[in-house]
PDB file of all heavy atoms in Angstrom:
ATOM      1  N   ILE N  21       3.184   6.169  -2.943  1.00 70.00           N
ATOM      2  CA  ILE N  21       4.438   6.776  -3.426  1.00 70.00           C
ATOM      3  C   ILE N  21       4.384   6.917  -4.942  1.00 70.00           C
ATOM      4  O   ILE N  21       4.749   7.950  -5.500  1.00 70.00           O
ATOM      5  CB  ILE N  21       5.655   5.943  -2.974  1.00 70.00           C
ATOM      6  CG1 ILE N  21       5.798   6.036  -1.453  1.00 70.00           C
ATOM      7  CG2 ILE N  21       6.919   6.416  -3.668  1.00 70.00           C
ATOM      8  CD1 ILE N  21       6.877   5.174  -0.877  1.00 70.00           C
ATOM      9  N   SER N  22       3.901   5.884  -5.643  1.00 70.00           N
ATOM     10  CA  SER N  22       3.784   5.942  -7.114  1.00 70.00           C
ATOM     11  C   SER N  22       2.794   7.009  -7.530  1.00 70.00           C
ATOM     12  O   SER N  22       3.028   7.776  -8.483  1.00 70.00           O
ATOM     13  CB  SER N  22       3.327   4.593  -7.657  1.00 70.00           C
ATOM     14  OG  SER N  22       4.265   3.604  -7.379  1.00 70.00           O
ATOM     15  N   LEU N  23       1.644   7.089  -6.836  1.00 68.00           N
ATOM     16  CA  LEU N  23       0.638   8.085  -7.148  1.00 68.00           C
ATOM     17  C   LEU N  23       1.169   9.497  -6.875  1.00 68.00           C
ATOM     18  O   LEU N  23       0.967  10.415  -7.689  1.00 68.00           O
ATOM     19  CB  LEU N  23      -0.631   7.825  -6.323  1.00 68.00           C
ATOM     20  CG  LEU N  23      -1.822   8.705  -6.649  1.00 68.00           C
ATOM     21  CD1 LEU N  23      -2.237   8.589  -8.097  1.00 68.00           C
ATOM     22  CD2 LEU N  23      -2.988   8.374  -5.746  1.00 68.00           C
ATOM     23  N   ALA N  24       1.899   9.690  -5.787  1.00 71.00           N
ATOM     24  CA  ALA N  24       2.480  10.996  -5.462  1.00 71.00           C
ATOM     25  C   ALA N  24       3.529  11.374  -6.501  1.00 71.00           C
ATOM     26  O   ALA N  24       3.615  12.534  -6.929  1.00 71.00           O
ATOM     27  CB  ALA N  24       3.072  10.977  -4.065  1.00 71.00           C
ATOM     28  N   ALA N  25       4.339  10.415  -6.931  1.00 72.00           N
ATOM     29  CA  ALA N  25       5.359  10.669  -7.946  1.00 72.00           C
ATOM     30  C   ALA N  25       4.720  11.051  -9.271  1.00 72.00           C
ATOM     31  O   ALA N  25       5.178  11.959  -9.973  1.00 72.00           O
ATOM     32  CB  ALA N  25       6.259   9.453  -8.107  1.00 72.00           C
ATOM     33  N   LEU N  26       3.629  10.372  -9.648  1.00 70.00           N
ATOM     34  CA  LEU N  26       2.921  10.681 -10.884  1.00 70.00           C
ATOM     35  C   LEU N  26       2.326  12.081 -10.828  1.00 70.00           C
ATOM     36  O   LEU N  26       2.438  12.858 -11.780  1.00 70.00           O
ATOM     37  CB  LEU N  26       1.824   9.636 -11.138  1.00 70.00           C
ATOM     38  CG  LEU N  26       0.987   9.847 -12.394  1.00 70.00           C
ATOM     39  CD1 LEU N  26       1.857   9.768 -13.642  1.00 70.00           C
ATOM     40  CD2 LEU N  26      -0.137   8.853 -12.451  1.00 70.00           C
ATOM     41  N   LEU N  27       1.690  12.424  -9.704  1.00 71.00           N
ATOM     42  CA  LEU N  27       1.127  13.773  -9.553  1.00 71.00           C
ATOM     43  C   LEU N  27       2.221  14.838  -9.591  1.00 71.00           C
ATOM     44  O   LEU N  27       2.050  15.896 -10.194  1.00 71.00           O
ATOM     45  CB  LEU N  27       0.322  13.873  -8.257  1.00 71.00           C
ATOM     46  CG  LEU N  27      -1.041  13.171  -8.263  1.00 71.00           C
ATOM     47  CD1 LEU N  27      -1.666  13.224  -6.869  1.00 71.00           C
ATOM     48  CD2 LEU N  27      -1.968  13.793  -9.276  1.00 71.00           C
ATOM     49  N   ALA N  28       3.347  14.572  -8.939  1.00 73.00           N
ATOM     50  CA  ALA N  28       4.472  15.520  -8.940  1.00 73.00           C
ATOM     51  C   ALA N  28       4.996  15.710 -10.358  1.00 73.00           C
ATOM     52  O   ALA N  28       5.290  16.834 -10.789  1.00 73.00           O
ATOM     53  CB  ALA N  28       5.570  15.041  -8.009  1.00 73.00           C
ATOM     54  N   ALA N  29       5.102  14.612 -11.131  1.00 73.00           N
ATOM     55  CA  ALA N  29       5.571  14.703 -12.508  1.00 73.00           C
ATOM     56  C   ALA N  29       4.602  15.519 -13.357  1.00 73.00           C
ATOM     57  O   ALA N  29       5.018  16.329 -14.198  1.00 73.00           O
ATOM     58  CB  ALA N  29       5.764  13.311 -13.095  1.00 73.00           C
ATOM     59  N   LEU N  30       3.297  15.342 -13.144  1.00 70.00           N
ATOM     60  CA  LEU N  30       2.300  16.118 -13.886  1.00 70.00           C
ATOM     61  C   LEU N  30       2.384  17.604 -13.543  1.00 70.00           C
ATOM     62  O   LEU N  30       2.303  18.458 -14.425  1.00 70.00           O
ATOM     63  CB  LEU N  30       0.898  15.580 -13.604  1.00 70.00           C
ATOM     64  CG  LEU N  30       0.547  14.233 -14.261  1.00 70.00           C
ATOM     65  CD1 LEU N  30      -0.810  13.731 -13.768  1.00 70.00           C
ATOM     66  CD2 LEU N  30       0.545  14.370 -15.764  1.00 70.00           C
ATOM     67  N   VAL N  31       2.522  17.905 -12.248  1.00 70.00           N
ATOM     68  CA  VAL N  31       2.625  19.311 -11.829  1.00 70.00           C
ATOM     69  C   VAL N  31       3.885  19.950 -12.404  1.00 70.00           C
ATOM     70  O   VAL N  31       3.854  21.067 -12.920  1.00 70.00           O
ATOM     71  CB  VAL N  31       2.574  19.419 -10.290  1.00 70.00           C
ATOM     72  CG1 VAL N  31       2.941  20.821  -9.816  1.00 70.00           C
ATOM     73  CG2 VAL N  31       1.204  19.043  -9.779  1.00 70.00           C
ATOM     74  N   ILE N  32       5.019  19.272 -12.346  1.00 75.00           N
ATOM     75  CA  ILE N  32       6.278  19.801 -12.875  1.00 75.00           C
ATOM     76  C   ILE N  32       6.181  19.967 -14.394  1.00 75.00           C
ATOM     77  O   ILE N  32       6.602  20.970 -14.955  1.00 75.00           O
ATOM     78  CB  ILE N  32       7.461  18.894 -12.473  1.00 75.00           C
ATOM     79  CG1 ILE N  32       7.705  19.002 -10.976  1.00 75.00           C
ATOM     80  CG2 ILE N  32       8.718  19.266 -13.248  1.00 75.00           C
ATOM     81  CD1 ILE N  32       8.715  18.025 -10.430  1.00 75.00           C
ATOM     82  N   GLY N  33       5.609  18.986 -15.074  1.00 70.00           N
ATOM     83  CA  GLY N  33       5.435  19.074 -16.529  1.00 70.00           C
ATOM     84  C   GLY N  33       4.543  20.234 -16.915  1.00 70.00           C
ATOM     85  O   GLY N  33       4.829  20.972 -17.860  1.00 70.00           O
ATOM     86  N   TYR N  34       3.445  20.425 -16.193  1.00 67.00           N
ATOM     87  CA  TYR N  34       2.534  21.538 -16.467  1.00 67.00           C
ATOM     88  C   TYR N  34       3.241  22.865 -16.211  1.00 67.00           C
ATOM     89  O   TYR N  34       3.133  23.810 -17.006  1.00 67.00           O
ATOM     90  CB  TYR N  34       1.270  21.429 -15.608  1.00 67.00           C
ATOM     91  CG  TYR N  34       0.321  22.590 -15.827  1.00 67.00           C
ATOM     92  CD1 TYR N  34      -0.452  22.683 -16.975  1.00 67.00           C
ATOM     93  CD2 TYR N  34       0.213  23.601 -14.877  1.00 67.00           C
ATOM     94  CE1 TYR N  34      -1.298  23.748 -17.182  1.00 67.00           C
ATOM     95  CE2 TYR N  34      -0.632  24.668 -15.074  1.00 67.00           C
ATOM     96  CZ  TYR N  34      -1.393  24.753 -16.233  1.00 67.00           C
ATOM     97  OH  TYR N  34      -2.230  25.801 -16.429  1.00 67.00           O
TER      98      TYR N  34
END
Side-chain angles (χ1 to χ4, degrees):
I21 293 175
S22 297
L23 186 58
L26 179 62
L27 286 174
L30 287 173
V31 169
I32 291 172
Y34 178 75

